[in-house]
Amino acid sequence: MAKGTQQDPFELLRNMQQDSLDNAPGLPQEVEAAKLWSGVGFRIGDLMLVTPLDHVLEILPPPPVAPVPGVKSWLKGVANVRGTLITIVDLPEYYGKPPVFLDDRARMLIMNVPELNTGVLVNEVLGLRHFDEELERQDVSGVDDPVVAQLNGAFLRDNVLWGLFDMKSLAENVSFRHVAAGTAEKRSGERAAV
């Protein structure tokens, strides 16, 4: 364009727009992200487990417990958690493992099961865990542990098997709901209490 001649402002804007479009980088291609499964990781004994987020209402340090007489040893008693009476179960002991040592790592997971106000003690909570369902899903048929009855498969990450623990299946288990001690347990508990 010669000096002194004016270009139409709209033409100038159209030229600037076209230059921008010609030199603009392309949009990134849409890539489908892997579908991640998320849950709460925890440990009982030497087993690493993960449970769906919607199976746990709350995670707390173990509260003071009032013992309940005449129950199995894995039912530790009841506790008042913000005005709600919660039954406390030692999950490792329920499965025949050593009971939870109440140290700084021990936690209580309050189960999200309607009409069952129960908290399970675990050795440690390991935070949120995310797994690629397609790449990391594993079968647990070769695992020899009583916990397997409540597992819906597992995930394998960095050579660590994370059992997919089903709290709702545990809550439906007859042996979990049958907490009264047998006659031999009552007698040994009475002797220990004397």
Side-chain angles (χ1 to χ4, degrees), residues 36-84:
L36 294 180
W37 182 94
S38 297
V40 177
F42 62 98
R43 181 177 62 81
I44 62 170
D46 58 355
L47 285 176
M48 302 300 201
L49 301 171
V50 65
T51 193
L53 291 172
D54 65 344
H55 285 205
V56 177
L57 284 176
E58 193 169 0
I59 301 170
L60 300 168
V65 174
V68 175
V71 296
K72 295 185 177 174
S73 63
W74 45 263
L75 193 143
K76 297 305 179 185
V78 293
N80 183 340
V81 177
R82 286 183 292 291
T84 301

Side-chain angles (χ1 to χ4, degrees), residues 16-183:
M16 289 172 66
Q17 180 183 20
Q18 190 59 46
D19 286 344
S20 292
L21 291 173
D22 291 344
N23 297 316
L27 293 174
Q29 290 185 356
E30 193 171 314
V31 177
E32 188 173 321
K35 183 178 179 188
L36 294 180
W37 182 94
S38 297
V40 177
F42 62 98
R43 181 177 62 81
I44 62 170
D46 58 355
L47 285 176
M48 302 300 201
L49 301 171
V50 65
T51 193
L53 291 172
D54 65 344
H55 285 205
V56 177
L57 284 176
E58 193 169 0
I59 301 170
L60 300 168
V65 174
V68 175
V71 296
K72 295 185 177 174
S73 63
W74 45 263
L75 193 143
K76 297 305 179 185
V78 293
N80 183 340
V81 177
R82 286 183 292 291
T84 301
L85 202 58
I86 303 287
T87 304
I88 309 296
V89 171
D90 189 312
L91 196 56
E93 190 173 353
Y94 171 77
Y95 287 111
K97 300 174 183 312
V100 171
F101 179 69
L102 298 178
D103 60 8
D104 290 343
R105 294 181 300 186
R107 291 290 179 265
M108 178 178 67
L109 305 176
I110 298 180
M111 300 169 67
N112 185 14
V113 178
E115 299 180 23
L116 186 68
N117 295 332
T118 302
V120 292
L121 296 175
V122 298
N123 298 98
E124 185 176 12
V125 169
L126 304 163
L128 282 178
R129 297 291 170 190
H130 309 283
F131 299 96
D132 184 323
E133 282 194 273
E134 291 182 20
L135 299 177
E136 297 176 307
R137 191 74 178 207
Q138 297 290 312
D139 181 32
V140 291
S141 58
V143 177
D144 183 26
D145 195 285
V147 176
V148 170
Q150 267 68 56
L151 297 185
N152 289 332
F155 296 106
L156 184 64
R157 158 100 37 96
D158 299 328
N159 290 326
V160 175
L161 191 66
W162 292 83
L164 179 48
F165 192 82
D166 186 348
M167 293 274 186
K168 295 181 186 215
S169 167
L170 174 67
E172 293 169 0
N173 193 317
V174 173
S175 68
F176 185 75
R177 289 187 174 258
H178 183 75
V179 299
T183 310

